[in-house]
Amino acid sequence: MMNTHFHDHDHNYSHAHHAEGCSGKSFYDIAVSSLKEAKCRITKPRLAVIECLADSAVPLSPKSIYEKVQTKNDLNVDQVSVYRILEALTKLGLVHQVFPSGEYLSCNTRCEVNPNHVMLNCIQCGKVEEIHLDWSFIYKIYERVRRTSQFEAKKHMLQLDGICAKCQ
C-alpha cells in the first residue's frame, strides 16, 4: 500500500529496480537515508534486511529474508523482528508487498514521492516490475470510485498479474 499525496507527477517511465528517472541512489542508500529522516534507529538487523532486499530482483518471503539474514550476516535476529522491520519499511514506502504471495520487493522510488506506479507480476516466472504512470491515470480511478461508491480512497496498490514478455 502506498501513501497518496495528490501531486501532479510527470514521471512516466518504466523501472525495474533502477532505471531511467530514478534518483540514481541505490535502494540501500535510499532506505538508510529514509530511516534517518524518520528518526528510526539504524540497527544491524534493519541494515541486514535492507541489504537482503537490495540484492534481490525478485520478491522475497519474510521467511527467506529471515534465512538469508541469519546465514549471510550471522545475526541473532528472530523471525518476528524481520516481520517488524518489513512493516516499518512498508510504512516508509520503501518496500511493496506483492500479492497473492505476500512477498516483499524493494522500491527505488519512494512511494510518497511518486506513488503512481503499477506492479506487473509475472505469474509464470515470478518477476515483478514497476511501471510509473502519469497521475492523471490514477486520478481517474480515484474519481470514478469516489463518484460511484462514495468511497474516498487514501492509499492504493495497483498490481496486474499476467505473463511478461520473456515468458510469452
Side-chain angles (χ1 to χ4, degrees):
M1 290 220 235
M2 300 169 237
N3 294 331
T4 52
H5 297 284
F6 296 93
H7 299 295
D8 188 15
H9 295 288
D10 292 330
H11 303 290
N12 190 17
Y13 54 85
S14 173
H15 159 312
H17 281 85
H18 206 70
E20 180 187 343
C22 288
S23 66
K25 291 184 176 180
S26 70
F27 168 72
Y28 187 89
D29 292 339
I30 291 168
V32 170
S33 65
S34 299
L35 287 171
K36 287 178 184 174
E37 287 170 22
K39 299 193 181 349
C40 295
R41 290 186 359 214
I42 311 293
T43 63
K44 285 183 181 179
R46 283 183 175 162
L47 292 175
V49 169
I50 289 167
E51 186 179 328
C52 182
L53 288 164
D55 290 344
S56 181
V58 296
L60 298 172
S61 70
K63 184 178 180 187
S64 66
I65 293 169
Y66 166 74
E67 290 168 354
K68 287 177 190 244
V69 165
Q70 295 286 61
T71 306
K72 187 174 182 184
N73 297 287
D74 195 31
L75 289 173
N76 188 16
V77 180
D78 60 38
Q79 211 162 349
V80 173
S81 296
V82 170
Y83 277 99
R84 286 189 188 127
I85 293 166
L86 289 169
E87 185 178 319
L89 296 175
T90 302
K91 284 181 181 175
L92 289 172
L94 294 165
V95 298
H96 301 293
Q97 198 168 10
V98 179
F99 295 97
S101 68
E103 295 174 332
Y104 290 84
L105 184 71
S106 62
C107 179
N108 277 338
T109 57
R110 298 275 307 274
C111 293
E112 71 271 13
V113 174
N114 182 12
N116 308 320
H117 53 261
V118 176
M119 306 297 289
L120 304 178
N121 179 37
C122 180
I123 57 176
Q124 197 158 323
C125 71
K127 178 184 174 197
V128 178
E129 181 181 355
E130 295 175 340
I131 60 166
H132 292 263
L133 300 175
D134 184 271
W135 171 242
S136 62
F137 294 116
I138 305 293
Y139 183 75
K140 287 177 185 175
I141 296 169
Y142 273 62
E143 281 300 303
R144 177 73 185 258
V145 167
R146 189 179 60 73
R147 217 175 29 256
T148 60
S149 302
Q150 288 76 50
F151 182 83
E152 190 70 35
K154 298 294 181 189
K155 298 177 181 179
H156 71 266
M157 169 56 110
L158 269 70
Q159 176 178 308
L160 299 175
D161 295 334
I163 301 173
C164 72
K166 202 172 192 178
C167 292
Q168 289 178 18

